[in-house]
Amino acid sequence: MFVLVCVTYLSFHFDVDSSTLSLAWEQVAAPNMALKVLDMAIQVHGAAGVSSDTVLAHLWAASRTLRLADGPDEVHLGTIAKLELQKAKL
């Protein structure tokens, strides 16, 4: 949903500030949701979920690594805070 909002702001409104805010939210929400889904799948599979018999352990490790490669959540949350404070003129 955040990606759709970001693309809409860029494509139709040419609003870079709003798209930056949506993109920062997406960069926090999407990896967290992917890890949450993978955690639930690993729980459902039990010990097999963390073994090399399924792809879940590899997906979890890759997803966790991509969260760090994209930048720590704190950086994106700082960007969100800065943009919200500018919007509120505080």
Side-chain angles (χ1 to χ4, degrees):
M1 187 65 153
F2 287 118
V3 176
L4 180 62
V5 170
C6 182
V7 169
T8 302
Y9 282 133
L10 284 175
S11 298
F12 299 113
H13 305 293
F14 304 107
D15 188 0
V16 176
D17 291 332
S18 295
S19 66
T20 303
L21 182 62
S22 296
L23 184 60
W25 272 114
E26 183 271 329
Q27 289 176 325
V28 172
N32 287 335
M33 184 55 65
L35 275 177
K36 188 174 181 179
V37 169
L38 283 168
D39 282 339
M40 284 189 274
I42 289 171
Q43 282 291 332
V44 167
H45 284 84
V50 292
S51 71
S52 60
D53 294 338
T54 64
V55 72
L56 294 174
H58 173 70
L59 288 175
W60 187 88
S63 181
R64 186 68 181 111
T65 304
L66 286 176
R67 280 188 64 196
L68 295 174
D70 180 43
D73 287 348
E74 287 77 15
V75 172
H76 300 304
L77 292 173
T79 301
I80 293 166
K82 185 180 359 173
L83 290 171
E84 289 293 341
L85 287 172
Q86 286 175 354
K87 193 180 347 178
K89 298 195 181 3
L90 294 176

